[in-house]
Amino acid sequence: MSGCHVGPNAADGINLTTYAGIMDEVKPGNPGGSELYEVLFETGDDLMPPPPMAALSSAQKERIRLWIEQGANETNCAGACDSTSATTYTAVIAPMIQTNCIGCHQGTGASGGVRLTTYAEVSGAVNYSGLVDAVNGVNGRSQMPPSGRMSDCNVALLERWVRDGMPQ
Ligand code: HEC
């Protein structure tokens, strides 16, 4: 929250608004060795959040412990990943491609000759250009996007969509 572990002038230099900042206080796989977890159990001024704020509930603490124990991954569960609604091209895949791919994969100069602007083009790239291998950077395909793999959530959604027969 504002005034605490936020931004460049964060308390104790601990900026908890970014994944990198949070990871400065975390040892993946080792909750007991992670400051981010330890401070939840301190006493007096060392307890976080400090009094008069309420301490985290045991359920909240357990959630943090489990996250660290499972590797403290940067996964994003906000939105569609948790959704039980159908993973369709229109609702999920098109916006994902728009954000992560379209800049290089449209028009006559599309990278690798692969255009990803329509359903036909995207499903064609899955069938003939190894799109799923490319988002995972495996089986001889260059990692796509080249700047680095998308979130686990996005990759999982894409794989689910293909498994389900690429519904429009
Ligand atoms: C910064 C530009 C850029 C972005 C963003 C990008 N690509 Fe590419 N893509 C390329 C280039 C360049 C190639 C061709 C070079 C190569 O195959 O190594 C390529 C090739 C491909 C291929 C063909 C691979 C092959 O081996 O023939 C696929 C499929 C692909 N991209 C899918 C995607 C998908 C899906 C995304 C988004 C998740 C994406 N790309 C984002 C630049 C980009």
PDB file of all heavy atoms in Angstrom, residues 102-138:
ATOM      1  N   ILE A 102       0.866  -9.992 -32.909  1.00  0.00           N
ATOM      2  CA  ILE A 102       0.413  -9.415 -34.166  1.00  0.00           C
ATOM      3  C   ILE A 102       1.393  -8.387 -34.734  1.00  0.00           C
ATOM      4  O   ILE A 102       1.521  -8.251 -35.958  1.00  0.00           O
ATOM      5  CB  ILE A 102      -1.002  -8.803 -34.005  1.00  0.00           C
ATOM      6  CG1 ILE A 102      -1.709  -8.762 -35.348  1.00  0.00           C
ATOM      7  CG2 ILE A 102      -0.956  -7.417 -33.398  1.00  0.00           C
ATOM      8  CD1 ILE A 102      -2.104 -10.127 -35.846  1.00  0.00           C
ATOM      9  N   GLY A 103       2.127  -7.703 -33.856  1.00  0.00           N
ATOM     10  CA  GLY A 103       3.068  -6.687 -34.308  1.00  0.00           C
ATOM     11  C   GLY A 103       4.016  -7.201 -35.378  1.00  0.00           C
ATOM     12  O   GLY A 103       4.382  -6.471 -36.298  1.00  0.00           O
ATOM     13  N   CYS A 104       4.412  -8.466 -35.290  1.00  0.00           N
ATOM     14  CA  CYS A 104       5.362  -9.046 -36.250  1.00  0.00           C
ATOM     15  C   CYS A 104       4.683  -9.950 -37.273  1.00  0.00           C
ATOM     16  O   CYS A 104       5.317 -10.369 -38.239  1.00  0.00           O
ATOM     17  CB  CYS A 104       6.417  -9.859 -35.517  1.00  0.00           C
ATOM     18  SG  CYS A 104       7.389  -8.937 -34.316  1.00  0.00           S
ATOM     19  N   HIS A 105       3.436 -10.296 -37.033  1.00  0.00           N
ATOM     20  CA  HIS A 105       2.804 -11.319 -37.876  1.00  0.00           C
ATOM     21  C   HIS A 105       1.554 -10.825 -38.590  1.00  0.00           C
ATOM     22  O   HIS A 105       0.486 -11.417 -38.480  1.00  0.00           O
ATOM     23  CB  HIS A 105       2.484 -12.568 -37.033  1.00  0.00           C
ATOM     24  CG  HIS A 105       3.705 -13.341 -36.637  1.00  0.00           C
ATOM     25  ND1 HIS A 105       4.419 -14.112 -37.513  1.00  0.00           N
ATOM     26  CD2 HIS A 105       4.353 -13.443 -35.450  1.00  0.00           C
ATOM     27  CE1 HIS A 105       5.454 -14.669 -36.892  1.00  0.00           C
ATOM     28  NE2 HIS A 105       5.449 -14.284 -35.637  1.00  0.00           N
ATOM     29  N   GLN A 106       1.705  -9.701 -39.295  1.00  0.00           N
ATOM     30  CA  GLN A 106       0.570  -9.224 -40.088  1.00  0.00           C
ATOM     31  C   GLN A 106       1.082  -8.640 -41.400  1.00  0.00           C
ATOM     32  O   GLN A 106       2.262  -8.309 -41.523  1.00  0.00           O
ATOM     33  CB  GLN A 106      -0.228  -8.173 -39.317  1.00  0.00           C
ATOM     34  CG  GLN A 106       0.601  -6.937 -38.955  1.00  0.00           C
ATOM     35  CD  GLN A 106      -0.160  -5.970 -38.070  1.00  0.00           C
ATOM     36  OE1 GLN A 106      -1.373  -5.897 -38.148  1.00  0.00           O
ATOM     37  NE2 GLN A 106       0.558  -5.238 -37.243  1.00  0.00           N
ATOM     38  N   GLY A 107       0.196  -8.561 -42.342  1.00  0.00           N
ATOM     39  CA  GLY A 107       0.516  -7.910 -43.605  1.00  0.00           C
ATOM     40  C   GLY A 107       1.469  -8.701 -44.482  1.00  0.00           C
ATOM     41  O   GLY A 107       1.802  -9.846 -44.192  1.00  0.00           O
ATOM     42  N   THR A 108       1.912  -8.042 -45.546  1.00  0.00           N
ATOM     43  CA  THR A 108       2.733  -8.745 -46.530  1.00  0.00           C
ATOM     44  C   THR A 108       4.124  -9.065 -45.993  1.00  0.00           C
ATOM     45  O   THR A 108       4.735 -10.039 -46.401  1.00  0.00           O
ATOM     46  CB  THR A 108       2.889  -7.887 -47.807  1.00  0.00           C
ATOM     47  OG1 THR A 108       3.159  -6.542 -47.403  1.00  0.00           O
ATOM     48  CG2 THR A 108       1.642  -7.916 -48.645  1.00  0.00           C
ATOM     49  N   GLY A 109       4.623  -8.247 -45.053  1.00  0.00           N
ATOM     50  CA  GLY A 109       5.966  -8.501 -44.533  1.00  0.00           C
ATOM     51  C   GLY A 109       5.973  -9.325 -43.264  1.00  0.00           C
ATOM     52  O   GLY A 109       6.923  -9.262 -42.497  1.00  0.00           O
ATOM     53  N   ALA A 110       4.904 -10.097 -43.015  1.00  0.00           N
ATOM     54  CA  ALA A 110       4.796 -10.868 -41.763  1.00  0.00           C
ATOM     55  C   ALA A 110       6.037 -11.735 -41.532  1.00  0.00           C
ATOM     56  O   ALA A 110       6.516 -12.405 -42.448  1.00  0.00           O
ATOM     57  CB  ALA A 110       3.545 -11.740 -41.795  1.00  0.00           C
ATOM     58  N   SER A 111       6.551 -11.721 -40.319  1.00  0.00           N
ATOM     59  CA  SER A 111       7.746 -12.489 -39.971  1.00  0.00           C
ATOM     60  C   SER A 111       7.560 -13.972 -40.257  1.00  0.00           C
ATOM     61  O   SER A 111       6.529 -14.547 -39.941  1.00  0.00           O
ATOM     62  CB  SER A 111       8.086 -12.310 -38.490  1.00  0.00           C
ATOM     63  OG  SER A 111       8.520 -11.004 -38.251  1.00  0.00           O
ATOM     64  N   GLY A 112       8.565 -14.571 -40.851  1.00  0.00           N
ATOM     65  CA  GLY A 112       8.512 -15.998 -41.151  1.00  0.00           C
ATOM     66  C   GLY A 112       7.431 -16.352 -42.165  1.00  0.00           C
ATOM     67  O   GLY A 112       7.100 -17.520 -42.352  1.00  0.00           O
ATOM     68  N   GLY A 113       6.843 -15.314 -42.795  1.00  0.00           N
ATOM     69  CA  GLY A 113       5.740 -15.571 -43.722  1.00  0.00           C
ATOM     70  C   GLY A 113       4.481 -16.057 -43.014  1.00  0.00           C
ATOM     71  O   GLY A 113       3.555 -16.577 -43.636  1.00  0.00           O
ATOM     72  N   VAL A 114       4.439 -15.864 -41.689  1.00  0.00           N
ATOM     73  CA  VAL A 114       3.294 -16.351 -40.906  1.00  0.00           C
ATOM     74  C   VAL A 114       2.412 -15.173 -40.505  1.00  0.00           C
ATOM     75  O   VAL A 114       2.819 -14.319 -39.717  1.00  0.00           O
ATOM     76  CB  VAL A 114       3.775 -17.091 -39.631  1.00  0.00           C
ATOM     77  CG1 VAL A 114       2.597 -17.526 -38.769  1.00  0.00           C
ATOM     78  CG2 VAL A 114       4.641 -18.280 -40.005  1.00  0.00           C
ATOM     79  N   ARG A 115       1.206 -15.121 -41.056  1.00  0.00           N
ATOM     80  CA  ARG A 115       0.238 -14.078 -40.678  1.00  0.00           C
ATOM     81  C   ARG A 115      -0.710 -14.657 -39.636  1.00  0.00           C
ATOM     82  O   ARG A 115      -1.147 -15.794 -39.750  1.00  0.00           O
ATOM     83  CB  ARG A 115      -0.566 -13.619 -41.895  1.00  0.00           C
ATOM     84  CG  ARG A 115       0.056 -12.434 -42.612  1.00  0.00           C
ATOM     85  CD  ARG A 115      -0.977 -11.692 -43.447  1.00  0.00           C
ATOM     86  NE  ARG A 115      -1.498 -12.533 -44.512  1.00  0.00           N
ATOM     87  CZ  ARG A 115      -1.028 -12.510 -45.770  1.00  0.00           C
ATOM     88  NH1 ARG A 115      -0.076 -11.680 -46.100  1.00  0.00           N
ATOM     89  NH2 ARG A 115      -1.538 -13.310 -46.682  1.00  0.00           N
ATOM     90  N   LEU A 116      -1.012 -13.847 -38.614  1.00  0.00           N
ATOM     91  CA  LEU A 116      -1.866 -14.332 -37.522  1.00  0.00           C
ATOM     92  C   LEU A 116      -3.048 -13.401 -37.280  1.00  0.00           C
ATOM     93  O   LEU A 116      -3.445 -13.167 -36.148  1.00  0.00           O
ATOM     94  CB  LEU A 116      -1.035 -14.484 -36.235  1.00  0.00           C
ATOM     95  CG  LEU A 116       0.139 -15.478 -36.294  1.00  0.00           C
ATOM     96  CD1 LEU A 116       0.964 -15.429 -35.008  1.00  0.00           C
ATOM     97  CD2 LEU A 116      -0.356 -16.909 -36.546  1.00  0.00           C
ATOM     98  N   THR A 117      -3.624 -12.874 -38.371  1.00  0.00           N
ATOM     99  CA  THR A 117      -4.685 -11.874 -38.211  1.00  0.00           C
ATOM    100  C   THR A 117      -6.093 -12.464 -38.177  1.00  0.00           C
ATOM    101  O   THR A 117      -6.994 -11.822 -37.665  1.00  0.00           O
ATOM    102  CB  THR A 117      -4.643 -10.839 -39.350  1.00  0.00           C
ATOM    103  OG1 THR A 117      -3.690 -11.252 -40.314  1.00  0.00           O
ATOM    104  CG2 THR A 117      -4.245  -9.490 -38.831  1.00  0.00           C
ATOM    105  N   THR A 118      -6.289 -13.640 -38.709  1.00  0.00           N
ATOM    106  CA  THR A 118      -7.642 -14.206 -38.752  1.00  0.00           C
ATOM    107  C   THR A 118      -7.654 -15.608 -38.150  1.00  0.00           C
ATOM    108  O   THR A 118      -6.602 -16.223 -37.938  1.00  0.00           O
ATOM    109  CB  THR A 118      -8.129 -14.344 -40.210  1.00  0.00           C
ATOM    110  OG1 THR A 118      -7.281 -15.303 -40.875  1.00  0.00           O
ATOM    111  CG2 THR A 118      -8.075 -13.018 -40.946  1.00  0.00           C
ATOM    112  N   TYR A 119      -8.868 -16.100 -37.911  1.00  0.00           N
ATOM    113  CA  TYR A 119      -9.005 -17.466 -37.394  1.00  0.00           C
ATOM    114  C   TYR A 119      -8.338 -18.464 -38.332  1.00  0.00           C
ATOM    115  O   TYR A 119      -7.607 -19.353 -37.888  1.00  0.00           O
ATOM    116  CB  TYR A 119     -10.488 -17.825 -37.226  1.00  0.00           C
ATOM    117  CG  TYR A 119     -10.678 -19.288 -36.860  1.00  0.00           C
ATOM    118  CD1 TYR A 119     -10.531 -19.712 -35.533  1.00  0.00           C
ATOM    119  CD2 TYR A 119     -10.986 -20.238 -37.831  1.00  0.00           C
ATOM    120  CE1 TYR A 119     -10.676 -21.048 -35.193  1.00  0.00           C
ATOM    121  CE2 TYR A 119     -11.136 -21.576 -37.498  1.00  0.00           C
ATOM    122  CZ  TYR A 119     -10.985 -21.981 -36.179  1.00  0.00           C
ATOM    123  OH  TYR A 119     -11.120 -23.311 -35.843  1.00  0.00           O
ATOM    124  N   ALA A 120      -8.562 -18.296 -39.638  1.00  0.00           N
ATOM    125  CA  ALA A 120      -7.998 -19.241 -40.605  1.00  0.00           C
ATOM    126  C   ALA A 120      -6.473 -19.230 -40.556  1.00  0.00           C
ATOM    127  O   ALA A 120      -5.831 -20.291 -40.615  1.00  0.00           O
ATOM    128  CB  ALA A 120      -8.487 -18.900 -42.009  1.00  0.00           C
ATOM    129  N   GLU A 121      -5.895 -18.042 -40.417  1.00  0.00           N
ATOM    130  CA  GLU A 121      -4.435 -17.943 -40.382  1.00  0.00           C
ATOM    131  C   GLU A 121      -3.860 -18.555 -39.100  1.00  0.00           C
ATOM    132  O   GLU A 121      -2.847 -19.264 -39.134  1.00  0.00           O
ATOM    133  CB  GLU A 121      -4.013 -16.472 -40.509  1.00  0.00           C
ATOM    134  CG  GLU A 121      -4.218 -15.923 -41.922  1.00  0.00           C
ATOM    135  CD  GLU A 121      -4.130 -14.416 -42.000  1.00  0.00           C
ATOM    136  OE1 GLU A 121      -4.051 -13.743 -40.949  1.00  0.00           O
ATOM    137  OE2 GLU A 121      -4.165 -13.884 -43.132  1.00  0.00           O
ATOM    138  N   VAL A 122      -4.515 -18.289 -37.980  1.00  0.00           N
ATOM    139  CA  VAL A 122      -3.998 -18.810 -36.710  1.00  0.00           C
ATOM    140  C   VAL A 122      -4.144 -20.336 -36.659  1.00  0.00           C
ATOM    141  O   VAL A 122      -3.199 -21.049 -36.316  1.00  0.00           O
ATOM    142  CB  VAL A 122      -4.703 -18.147 -35.512  1.00  0.00           C
ATOM    143  CG1 VAL A 122      -4.273 -18.800 -34.202  1.00  0.00           C
ATOM    144  CG2 VAL A 122      -4.398 -16.647 -35.473  1.00  0.00           C
ATOM    145  N   SER A 123      -5.315 -20.841 -37.036  1.00  0.00           N
ATOM    146  CA  SER A 123      -5.474 -22.303 -37.006  1.00  0.00           C
ATOM    147  C   SER A 123      -4.554 -22.956 -38.035  1.00  0.00           C
ATOM    148  O   SER A 123      -4.004 -24.035 -37.808  1.00  0.00           O
ATOM    149  CB  SER A 123      -6.939 -22.701 -37.231  1.00  0.00           C
ATOM    150  OG  SER A 123      -7.438 -22.130 -38.414  1.00  0.00           O
ATOM    151  N   GLY A 124      -4.331 -22.275 -39.157  1.00  0.00           N
ATOM    152  CA  GLY A 124      -3.390 -22.779 -40.157  1.00  0.00           C
ATOM    153  C   GLY A 124      -1.969 -22.847 -39.596  1.00  0.00           C
ATOM    154  O   GLY A 124      -1.244 -23.814 -39.837  1.00  0.00           O
ATOM    155  N   ALA A 125      -1.584 -21.830 -38.814  1.00  0.00           N
ATOM    156  CA  ALA A 125      -0.241 -21.813 -38.228  1.00  0.00           C
ATOM    157  C   ALA A 125      -0.077 -22.920 -37.187  1.00  0.00           C
ATOM    158  O   ALA A 125       1.005 -23.465 -37.006  1.00  0.00           O
ATOM    159  CB  ALA A 125       0.040 -20.443 -37.603  1.00  0.00           C
ATOM    160  N   VAL A 126      -1.185 -23.252 -36.509  1.00  0.00           N
ATOM    161  CA  VAL A 126      -1.132 -24.375 -35.563  1.00  0.00           C
ATOM    162  C   VAL A 126      -0.896 -25.667 -36.338  1.00  0.00           C
ATOM    163  O   VAL A 126      -0.052 -26.495 -35.984  1.00  0.00           O
ATOM    164  CB  VAL A 126      -2.447 -24.474 -34.752  1.00  0.00           C
ATOM    165  CG1 VAL A 126      -2.497 -25.791 -33.968  1.00  0.00           C
ATOM    166  CG2 VAL A 126      -2.580 -23.292 -33.807  1.00  0.00           C
ATOM    167  N   ASN A 127      -1.625 -25.833 -37.436  1.00  0.00           N
ATOM    168  CA  ASN A 127      -1.562 -27.093 -38.185  1.00  0.00           C
ATOM    169  C   ASN A 127      -0.286 -27.243 -39.019  1.00  0.00           C
ATOM    170  O   ASN A 127       0.224 -28.352 -39.165  1.00  0.00           O
ATOM    171  CB  ASN A 127      -2.780 -27.218 -39.108  1.00  0.00           C
ATOM    172  CG  ASN A 127      -4.056 -27.479 -38.324  1.00  0.00           C
ATOM    173  OD1 ASN A 127      -4.018 -28.104 -37.262  1.00  0.00           O
ATOM    174  ND2 ASN A 127      -5.188 -26.999 -38.837  1.00  0.00           N
ATOM    175  N   TYR A 128       0.213 -26.125 -39.550  1.00  0.00           N
ATOM    176  CA  TYR A 128       1.294 -26.248 -40.536  1.00  0.00           C
ATOM    177  C   TYR A 128       2.594 -25.541 -40.170  1.00  0.00           C
ATOM    178  O   TYR A 128       3.613 -25.768 -40.810  1.00  0.00           O
ATOM    179  CB  TYR A 128       0.810 -25.731 -41.899  1.00  0.00           C
ATOM    180  CG  TYR A 128      -0.454 -26.416 -42.352  1.00  0.00           C
ATOM    181  CD1 TYR A 128      -1.653 -25.726 -42.465  1.00  0.00           C
ATOM    182  CD2 TYR A 128      -0.460 -27.790 -42.633  1.00  0.00           C
ATOM    183  CE1 TYR A 128      -2.820 -26.364 -42.852  1.00  0.00           C
ATOM    184  CE2 TYR A 128      -1.622 -28.436 -43.018  1.00  0.00           C
ATOM    185  CZ  TYR A 128      -2.802 -27.717 -43.124  1.00  0.00           C
ATOM    186  OH  TYR A 128      -3.951 -28.364 -43.503  1.00  0.00           O
ATOM    187  N   SER A 129       2.574 -24.653 -39.162  1.00  0.00           N
ATOM    188  CA  SER A 129       3.798 -23.908 -38.861  1.00  0.00           C
ATOM    189  C   SER A 129       4.272 -24.083 -37.422  1.00  0.00           C
ATOM    190  O   SER A 129       5.071 -23.296 -36.930  1.00  0.00           O
ATOM    191  CB  SER A 129       3.592 -22.410 -39.136  1.00  0.00           C
ATOM    192  OG  SER A 129       3.173 -22.208 -40.463  1.00  0.00           O
ATOM    193  N   GLY A 130       3.734 -25.103 -36.744  1.00  0.00           N
ATOM    194  CA  GLY A 130       4.235 -25.416 -35.405  1.00  0.00           C
ATOM    195  C   GLY A 130       4.034 -24.317 -34.385  1.00  0.00           C
ATOM    196  O   GLY A 130       4.900 -24.063 -33.553  1.00  0.00           O
ATOM    197  N   LEU A 131       2.872 -23.669 -34.425  1.00  0.00           N
ATOM    198  CA  LEU A 131       2.635 -22.551 -33.513  1.00  0.00           C
ATOM    199  C   LEU A 131       2.764 -22.951 -32.045  1.00  0.00           C
ATOM    200  O   LEU A 131       3.370 -22.224 -31.245  1.00  0.00           O
ATOM    201  CB  LEU A 131       1.257 -21.939 -33.795  1.00  0.00           C
ATOM    202  CG  LEU A 131       0.917 -20.639 -33.040  1.00  0.00           C
ATOM    203  CD1 LEU A 131       0.051 -19.735 -33.889  1.00  0.00           C
ATOM    204  CD2 LEU A 131       0.227 -20.920 -31.710  1.00  0.00           C
ATOM    205  N   VAL A 132       2.243 -24.112 -31.672  1.00  0.00           N
ATOM    206  CA  VAL A 132       2.306 -24.529 -30.263  1.00  0.00           C
ATOM    207  C   VAL A 132       3.758 -24.815 -29.850  1.00  0.00           C
ATOM    208  O   VAL A 132       4.190 -24.438 -28.763  1.00  0.00           O
ATOM    209  CB  VAL A 132       1.394 -25.747 -29.997  1.00  0.00           C
ATOM    210  CG1 VAL A 132       1.595 -26.276 -28.582  1.00  0.00           C
ATOM    211  CG2 VAL A 132      -0.065 -25.358 -30.212  1.00  0.00           C
ATOM    212  N   ASP A 133       4.517 -25.453 -30.748  1.00  0.00           N
ATOM    213  CA  ASP A 133       5.939 -25.670 -30.451  1.00  0.00           C
ATOM    214  C   ASP A 133       6.664 -24.335 -30.333  1.00  0.00           C
ATOM    215  O   ASP A 133       7.548 -24.168 -29.492  1.00  0.00           O
ATOM    216  CB  ASP A 133       6.602 -26.512 -31.557  1.00  0.00           C
ATOM    217  CG  ASP A 133       6.210 -27.982 -31.457  1.00  0.00           C
ATOM    218  OD1 ASP A 133       5.725 -28.399 -30.384  1.00  0.00           O
ATOM    219  OD2 ASP A 133       6.392 -28.708 -32.457  1.00  0.00           O
ATOM    220  N   ALA A 134       6.284 -23.382 -31.184  1.00  0.00           N
ATOM    221  CA  ALA A 134       6.961 -22.081 -31.173  1.00  0.00           C
ATOM    222  C   ALA A 134       6.702 -21.320 -29.862  1.00  0.00           C
ATOM    223  O   ALA A 134       7.620 -20.713 -29.317  1.00  0.00           O
ATOM    224  CB  ALA A 134       6.523 -21.241 -32.372  1.00  0.00           C
ATOM    225  N   VAL A 135       5.483 -21.356 -29.329  1.00  0.00           N
ATOM    226  CA  VAL A 135       5.252 -20.627 -28.073  1.00  0.00           C
ATOM    227  C   VAL A 135       5.981 -21.299 -26.911  1.00  0.00           C
ATOM    228  O   VAL A 135       6.223 -20.676 -25.880  1.00  0.00           O
ATOM    229  CB  VAL A 135       3.749 -20.427 -27.714  1.00  0.00           C
ATOM    230  CG1 VAL A 135       3.037 -19.622 -28.776  1.00  0.00           C
ATOM    231  CG2 VAL A 135       3.065 -21.737 -27.450  1.00  0.00           C
ATOM    232  N   ASN A 136       6.340 -22.559 -27.088  1.00  0.00           N
ATOM    233  CA  ASN A 136       7.136 -23.242 -26.068  1.00  0.00           C
ATOM    234  C   ASN A 136       8.621 -23.278 -26.413  1.00  0.00           C
ATOM    235  O   ASN A 136       9.438 -23.739 -25.607  1.00  0.00           O
ATOM    236  CB  ASN A 136       6.627 -24.673 -25.872  1.00  0.00           C
ATOM    237  CG  ASN A 136       5.305 -24.701 -25.119  1.00  0.00           C
ATOM    238  OD1 ASN A 136       5.210 -24.235 -24.005  1.00  0.00           O
ATOM    239  ND2 ASN A 136       4.277 -25.246 -25.757  1.00  0.00           N
ATOM    240  N   GLY A 137       8.967 -22.824 -27.622  1.00  0.00           N
ATOM    241  CA  GLY A 137      10.367 -22.837 -28.044  1.00  0.00           C
ATOM    242  C   GLY A 137      10.972 -24.234 -28.097  1.00  0.00           C
ATOM    243  O   GLY A 137      12.114 -24.429 -27.703  1.00  0.00           O
ATOM    244  N   VAL A 138      10.206 -25.200 -28.570  1.00  0.00           N
ATOM    245  CA  VAL A 138      10.697 -26.592 -28.611  1.00  0.00           C
ATOM    246  C   VAL A 138      10.610 -27.162 -30.024  1.00  0.00           C
ATOM    247  O   VAL A 138      10.043 -26.534 -30.930  1.00  0.00           O
ATOM    248  CB  VAL A 138       9.888 -27.503 -27.649  1.00  0.00           C
ATOM    249  CG1 VAL A 138      10.055 -27.026 -26.211  1.00  0.00           C
ATOM    250  CG2 VAL A 138       8.423 -27.565 -28.041  1.00  0.00           C
TER     251      VAL A 138
END
